[in-house]
Amino acid sequence: MDGARDMAEAVLNAVEASGRHYGTGLPMIASENVISPLVRRAVDSDLHGRYAEGLPGKRYYQGCEDFDTIESLAIEAAKRVFNARFANVQPTSGTVSNMAALKALTKPGDRITAVSTADGGHISHARMGAVGLRGLDLTTYPWDAERMEPDVDAACALIREVEPSMALVGASVFLFPMPLQEMADAAHEVGAHVMYDGAHVLGLIAGGAFQDPLREGADVVTGSSHKTFPGPQGGFLLSDSDDEQLQRKLNTAVFPGTNSSYHLHHVAGKAVALAEFEAFGVDYAHDTVANAKALAAALAAEGFDVLAEDRGYTASHQVLTRHGTSDSGAGRHAAALLETAGIVTNMNMLPGDTKAMSPSGLRLGTQELTRHGMGPSEMEEVAALYRRLLIDGEDATRVRLDVRELRSGFADVQYCFEA
Ligand SMILES: Cc1ncc(COP(=O)(O)O)c(C=O)c1O
């Protein structure tokens, strides 16, 4: 009994320690974000323990009347925010929204084209992930390592040659808008559906600060609700099609296809996050991209090797830096050193790397620092902290103090309603 209680205390202590670690440091992982006080209220609610299956008004459980109001508001807000005729807000993650889209639009044994994981594609686009689970025959796009995007002519030629039933576009390393229109034209020519995985860039798309996949040929857009879109953990499934049969297929692929009950408290959190996005999202999205550009330029000025210089380094929330030769593990070493000073990032494979656990690069994201109110001048301060640690070799405990000091001026979440 005491041991069990001790374990519970140990867990809660670690939860609090994690909060302090992030709250006094610089959270710069490109797939993360912080939720607003009102979203937190929705998530930490009685809905946490409740069940719903089906869609608003068509339920298998009693007790859903209030939740029907919540989910209906979330669906309508998602349609407005993403400018989409169809939205399903139930997927419990970006991966689950990908599984649902693949289930709706492919059959086992079909061919699919996608970005390879070595070039920044997500594991759910790979044989080891959702694509393999659906039994699809994968061919990956030729990659333009200078432009950090699929080699558009070769990718279109590949789509025409392979004649897949699905062309999947999108990735986890996402510096620039994908050449979607050209790839979608090639895909539609051979009768393929086009799925755009916007997990990383969904908030930038919704804020009008990136590309507009539903207007550039995507039949369906999938994504996480907690990366650049600043909501609770979860996913969205979107389409601008008014084809009721397709909409029904997408809904059925979510339930019963890939979920039974889903996370009602997260749906409520998504609804609140969507409302806040309608009020503040355009500014947040543009500020996030401006900060990424400022951070990239400042890191280059400090002497770092920042990728894609010829294209202005980035047009998203992400920045990529190279810290040594391919497969040297220099990215892993840099990420570990940064964390000792309270700067949280992740190592990342860059063109030339072949080993995911010893890559040469780092992937940085500016969305969370932006949400805390940092701007381009703070990005210069952040770059200087990187230089002191990784180039000057200054003691991490001294740099940690300055990280703490910088962060202390940016404790609260911005771009949201007051609690
Ligand atoms: C491109 C892409 N798709 C899907 C996902 C999966 O999202 P989630 O972590 O919400 O399952 C990720 C996660 O990083 C991603 O980068």
Side-chain angles (χ1 to χ4, degrees):
M1 177 65 185
D2 276 358
R5 173 76 205 197
D6 289 349
M7 191 203 97
E9 291 296 340
V11 169
L12 292 169
N13 287 340
V15 168
E16 281 165 20
S18 176
R20 278 195 303 277
H21 185 49
Y22 277 86
T24 59
L26 299 175
M28 298 185 69
I29 290 182
S31 57
E32 297 185 349
N33 216 322
V34 61
I35 53 172
S36 73
L38 291 195
V39 171
R40 205 172 277 277
R41 252 172 71 193
V43 170
D44 185 15
S45 66
D46 179 73
L47 287 172
H48 175 266
R50 303 299 155 204
Y51 252 71
E53 284 178 348
L55 288 164
K58 289 182 221 144
R59 299 295 190 187
Y60 296 79
Y61 291 87
Q62 294 307 118
C64 292
E65 205 174 313
D66 296 317
F67 183 67
D68 279 0
T69 305
I70 294 166
E71 186 168 348
S72 301
L73 285 169
I75 292 169
E76 290 312 311
K79 288 188 199 168
R80 289 194 302 276
V81 165
F82 298 110
N83 195 8
R85 289 190 178 92
F86 168 88
N88 188 304
V89 298
Q90 297 180 1
T92 47
S93 73
T95 299
V96 172
S97 62
N98 282 350
M99 287 164 63
L102 293 175
K103 184 155 192 342
L105 302 176
T106 65
K107 300 187 304 304
D110 279 359
R111 291 184 291 278
I112 187 168
T113 52
V115 175
S116 94
T117 50
D119 294 324
H122 187 248
I123 43 175
S124 59
H125 308 174
R127 284 187 195 92
M128 66 181 135
V131 158
L133 187 69
R134 187 63 175 148
L136 301 174
D137 179 4
L138 172 70
T139 308
T140 56
Y141 302 121
W143 190 251
D144 183 333
E146 292 294 312
R147 293 182 57 78
M148 290 301 287
E149 64 182 22
D151 176 329
V152 62
D153 292 338
C156 290
L158 179 99
I159 291 168
R160 291 192 176 96
E161 185 194 323
V162 170
E163 298 188 350
S165 44
M166 165 77 82
L168 203 172
V169 181
S172 304
V173 172
F174 215 143
L175 293 177
F176 301 102
M178 292 274 164
L180 177 61
Q181 187 77 65
E182 296 91 327
M183 293 171 76
D185 287 348
H188 289 149
E189 225 177 272
V190 298
H193 279 108
V194 177
M195 167 176 163
Y196 180 97
D197 183 342
H200 261 271
V201 287
L202 214 52
L204 310 182
I205 289 168
F210 203 59
Q211 66 189 138
D212 188 0
L214 290 175
R215 257 52 58 192
E216 293 169 31
D219 300 302
V220 60
V221 169
T222 59
S224 308
S225 51
H226 52 268
K227 295 185 167 79
T228 54
F229 186 82
Q233 293 262 351
F236 290 112
L237 182 54
L238 308 161
S239 173
D240 200 35
S241 171
D242 56 6
D243 175 349
E244 282 180 16
Q245 208 185 342
L246 175 71
Q247 296 189 355
R248 226 182 347 265
K249 256 189 181 172
L250 294 172
N251 277 333
T252 310
V254 175
F255 172 80
T258 48
N259 294 264
S260 63
S261 186
Y262 43 104
H263 302 166
L264 277 56
H265 56 317
H266 285 172
V267 170
K270 285 177 198 175
V272 174
L274 285 160
E276 293 186 326
F277 204 94
E278 288 198 279
F280 306 101
V282 170
D283 285 346
Y284 154 71
H286 285 87
D287 291 349
T288 296
V289 175
N291 277 344
K293 288 177 189 284
L295 177 67
L299 286 167
E302 294 285 5
F304 287 99
D305 181 0
V306 186
L307 266 68
E309 181 182 0
D310 291 350
R311 294 191 75 184
Y313 304 116
T314 184
S316 73
H317 61 304
Q318 296 187 3
V319 174
L320 293 179
T321 50
R322 189 188 292 281
H323 297 267
T325 52
S326 297
D327 289 335
S328 62
R332 184 190 181 98
H333 177 68
L337 193 54
L338 286 164
E339 184 157 29
T340 59
I343 303 175
V344 194
T345 64
N346 65 272
M347 61 180 173
N348 215 93
M349 286 172 74
L350 301 180
D353 284 322
T354 59
K355 296 181 184 142
M357 290 306 282
S358 54
S360 60
L362 289 181
R363 184 187 65 172
L364 315 173
T366 54
Q367 70 292 339
E368 196 167 340
L369 297 184
T370 305
R371 289 265 288 163
H372 282 293
M374 291 192 188
S377 65
E378 283 76 33
M379 295 303 109
E380 288 177 15
E381 289 188 53
V382 171
L385 293 164
Y386 275 65
R387 190 245 312 138
R388 285 169 55 191
L389 264 175
L390 299 178
I391 297 179
D392 300 349
E394 198 174 318
D395 178 32
T397 30
R398 287 211 349 236
V399 180
R400 177 75 177 108
L401 292 177
D402 291 338
V403 165
R404 219 177 257 274
E405 170 67 20
L406 172 61
R407 181 58 204 277
S408 66
F410 298 91
D412 295 337
V413 183
Q414 310 291 323
Y415 308 96
C416 60
F417 298 126
E418 285 193 15

